[in-house]
Amino acid sequence: MNDGAMQPYALTLEKFLDHAAKWHPNTEVVTADISGRTTRVGYAVLRQRALQVSALLDGFGVRAGEHVATLAWNSQSHVEVWYGTMGMGAVCHTLNPRLTAEQLAAMLVQSEARVLAVSADLIPLAEAVCALSPLVSDIIVIDGDGSEWRSRDDGPRVHALDERGGTGGACELWGDFDETAPSGLCFTSGTTGAPKGVTYTHRSSYLHTLRLLQADVIGLTSRDVVLPVVPMFHANAWGLPFAAPAAGAKLVLPGRVADGASLARLIMDEDVTIAVGVPTVWVGLADHLDKVGGELPSLKRIIVGGTQMPPALMDRIERRLGVAVQTSWGMTELSPSGTFASPHDTARQPSLSGRPAIGVDLMLKDEFGDPLPAQRNIEGHLYVKGAAVIERYFGDSESAADKDGWFDTGDLARIDDAGNLTITGRSKDLIKSGGEWINPAEIEAVIGSIPEVSFAAVIGRADPKWGERPVLLVEMREQQMLSDEELLKPLNGRVASWWVPDDVVRLAQMPLAPTGKVDKMRLRQEYGGN
């Protein structure tokens, strides 16, 4: 007996753009520049331009499995380079332009990328990076003509992306590789240690995209207009450059600008329905509208992640912008989505990060890595496994997961009876005072709910008697002042008395990591001494 069979269909990422070009050819990808002007192109033309990128890379001798680096903002040209690189089987290594030249060069040395695509306004940084990265032989300047590059006889060759010319020159190397092939490389933010490289595969990102499209996750439709303020250089812009063409949704890219005025104009002009970014972005948008007035009637939903949102901030954003805030949790090692609060849940809570969708699973373990007998309503160390979860870091031979495939996120968490995840802290952030543990996140949640507070962070300061004692660092909202006693009073009865910070430090601006999270490494370096 011969069983029937299904057609082979490799889960490779160029198929998302193929689909959009065929069935949503005129749906737009819009890019804003720093002056506020916009350019736009349909998915059919975007695919043709991505094929031309593949041809350009093929001409440079780039082959499947090689890394091509990008140092760029969220723009149409960056999307073209993404698909042009991944579509021919090469690996897109995104670099964070908010890092130093030395840090970026160290990452390039690891990936051995010979080609670097760079936004024109980042040319000075790229020049410094290339001086430290002798393997880079070709520069592709995007969003500009490259005339700013100070050419040197011993430096890399410089090409402008628009040199592709016309509509010809498309590469035939498109999609002919295994779905388990690597597609992307992104280094972690390094907020708790040295950055590590995370390699994505076509299959992992394809399945991750299908998860994003589920109704209780992001649930994009062809009627949506999505604005990813989350950067393409970090964790695939949360997968939105894949999800938008997969759904046939209009994609609006903000370039390098993320100030309130620019975002308000872009949302109004392009009728954005869903916007995605860290909470600090939406604070700036609300502040701008408070100053100048105006409404954003098309905007229905804002998706946040990266850090827990204080209740007062969530309430302010929902009231001022007239939107529903959807919370989420994830990390670079998860591609990056882990859990999402359902957009259909009317009882949203800022502390809840929602449930995992099919394809990712969670487990709480004790400090020794053993599963907790009860998985509900108890704090534990959060482990995760799934089709888009890291197995091992770039360059490592040892697995990053345990023998059963569970990856230790480094987070402390609770899961309620409904399966909703609450991140309660980072295991590396715990403060040991007098032999007992203090969880800074619980203190930060209380202080962060004070309306006058913009940001709150708690770190351990070395103490000769207790080993460590907690210190509260706060950034107040504009023109808001509270005494130390007023700031600490809400902790009474909410946390143990010996958890109350010994000192309060006011900061004009809370230091943020390149991904928008509070930079606790820097805070510990500057304020964690005696």
Side-chain angles (χ1 to χ4, degrees):
M1 179 183 70
N2 278 338
D3 283 325
M6 291 293 169
Q7 297 180 10
Y9 185 91
L11 306 183
T12 51
L13 297 173
E14 85 291 340
K15 288 184 171 65
F16 294 140
L17 192 53
D18 291 346
H19 171 82
K22 183 174 183 178
W23 300 108
H24 305 275
N26 299 316
T27 298
E28 292 178 330
V29 174
V30 180
T31 300
D33 65 22
I34 198 166
S35 69
R37 295 188 297 266
T38 56
T39 57
R40 59 194 67 235
V41 65
Y43 277 123
V45 174
L46 181 68
R47 179 183 181 274
Q48 183 65 31
R49 291 173 66 87
L51 282 163
Q52 292 168 15
V53 173
S54 295
L56 188 65
L57 296 175
D58 183 46
F60 294 158
V62 174
R63 296 296 176 258
E66 289 191 45
H67 291 84
V68 173
T70 67
L71 185 65
W73 310 106
N74 289 17
S75 70
Q76 169 197 321
S77 295
H78 198 180
V79 174
E80 293 169 10
V81 174
W82 263 34
Y83 278 101
T85 299
M86 299 179 195
M88 66 179 294
V91 184
C92 187
H93 175 194
T94 53
L95 295 168
N96 186 338
R98 294 170 183 150
L99 299 177
T100 67
E102 291 76 13
Q103 291 170 315
L104 296 173
M107 295 173 184
L108 272 182
V109 168
Q110 289 185 61
S111 72
E112 299 181 349
R114 296 184 293 110
V115 179
L116 172 64
V118 57
S119 290
D121 62 345
L122 291 170
I123 282 178
L125 176 58
E127 289 176 327
V129 171
C130 289
L132 301 170
S133 309
L135 279 179
V136 177
S137 59
D138 289 276
I139 299 293
I140 304 174
V141 178
I142 67 176
D143 302 321
D145 59 14
S147 59
E148 303 90 342
W149 191 281
R150 296 171 302 198
S151 59
R152 301 197 324 260
D153 292 339
D154 61 342
R157 296 169 294 185
V158 180
H159 320 264
L161 189 60
D162 288 338
E163 289 176 1
R164 293 166 298 183
T167 59
C171 181
E172 299 301 323
L173 303 173
W174 189 255
D176 188 17
F177 45 84
D178 193 272
E179 65 180 28
T180 60
S183 61
L185 174 64
C186 178
F187 279 76
T188 61
S189 59
T191 53
T192 59
K196 297 179 180 180
V198 177
T199 299
Y200 306 116
T201 68
H202 282 266
R203 180 179 184 274
S204 70
S205 290
Y206 196 106
L207 294 174
H208 181 272
T209 302
L210 298 185
R211 195 162 77 238
L212 291 184
L213 296 178
Q214 293 180 42
D216 277 337
V217 185
I218 294 182
L220 285 184
T221 73
S222 60
R223 298 178 297 279
D224 280 311
V225 181
V226 60
L227 171 67
V229 185
V230 289
M232 291 174 62
F233 54 74
H234 184 69
N236 293 335
W238 296 3
L240 291 167
F242 302 135
K250 178 178 175 181
L251 183 61
V252 179
L253 301 164
R256 71 171 299 167
V257 293
D259 62 278
S262 298
L263 292 179
R265 181 172 59 249
L266 198 55
I267 290 168
M268 287 188 285
D269 290 349
E270 303 300 332
D271 293 324
V272 170
T273 61
I274 300 174
V276 187
V278 296
T280 50
V281 169
W282 312 120
V283 171
L285 179 59
D287 287 346
H288 169 74
L289 294 178
D290 281 346
K291 291 179 181 178
V292 303
E295 305 295 333
L296 304 173
S298 68
L299 191 61
K300 306 304 180 188
R301 187 167 23 128
I302 281 176
I303 303 173
V304 298
T307 185
Q308 193 173 107
M309 175 174 274
L313 179 58
M314 180 170 169
D315 181 62
R316 180 190 176 213
I317 289 174
E318 289 195 331
R319 283 189 292 103
R320 183 61 191 87
L321 303 184
V323 300
V325 171
Q326 184 180 4
T327 53
S328 67
W329 166 80
M331 57 195 307
T332 306
E333 290 90 340
L334 275 60
S335 301
S337 73
T339 63
F340 276 81
S342 171
H344 309 292
D345 186 356
T346 57
R348 293 181 306 277
Q349 297 181 43
S351 62
L352 298 182
S353 298
R355 289 181 290 263
I358 184 68
V360 63
D361 198 10
L362 310 178
M363 181 180 286
L364 297 178
K365 298 191 177 188
D366 63 21
E367 59 185 308
F368 305 108
D370 295 321
L372 295 177
Q375 289 288 309
R376 295 292 190 268
N377 302 309
I378 187 171
E379 185 178 71
H381 295 256
L382 179 63
Y383 285 68
V384 62
K385 68 188 305 184
V389 176
I390 190 171
E391 180 179 10
R392 67 178 182 273
Y393 287 102
F394 180 71
D396 285 357
S397 57
E398 295 184 2
S399 176
D402 65 19
K403 61 181 178 61
D404 297 316
W406 291 99
F407 171 72
D408 183 0
T409 67
D411 285 320
L412 300 171
R414 291 177 181 269
I415 302 173
D416 67 17
D417 288 329
N420 290 300
L421 178 74
T422 296
I423 300 298
T424 58
R426 291 284 293 172
S427 58
K428 291 184 178 180
D429 288 343
L430 292 178
I431 300 167
K432 198 164 192 178
S433 183
E436 301 290 340
W437 292 109
I438 296 173
N439 188 346
E442 293 188 35
I443 304 172
E444 292 162 356
V446 175
I447 304 299
S449 67
I450 300 173
E452 291 85 354
V453 173
S454 287
F455 292 100
V458 175
I459 62 168
R461 174 183 289 171
D463 185 270
K465 181 178 180 180
W466 301 107
E468 285 185 306
R469 288 295 300 153
V471 176
L472 171 65
L473 301 106
V474 292
E475 176 189 330
M476 306 299 292
R477 286 189 60 193
E478 186 177 350
Q479 298 179 339
Q480 299 291 330
M481 287 297 297
L482 292 176
S483 67
D484 291 0
E485 292 75 15
E486 290 172 316
L487 281 170
L488 298 176
K489 185 177 179 180
L491 295 173
N492 294 338
R494 304 280 295 277
V495 301
S497 60
W498 56 275
W499 280 31
V500 176
D502 288 352
D503 194 13
V504 177
V505 178
R506 288 171 172 77
L507 303 178
Q509 187 170 16
M510 186 71 71
L512 301 178
T515 54
K517 301 176 185 177
V518 172
D519 191 343
K520 286 206 168 179
M521 283 184 65
R522 180 174 165 187
L523 290 176
R524 281 192 284 266
Q525 290 169 357
E526 296 183 8
Y527 301 99
N530 287 315

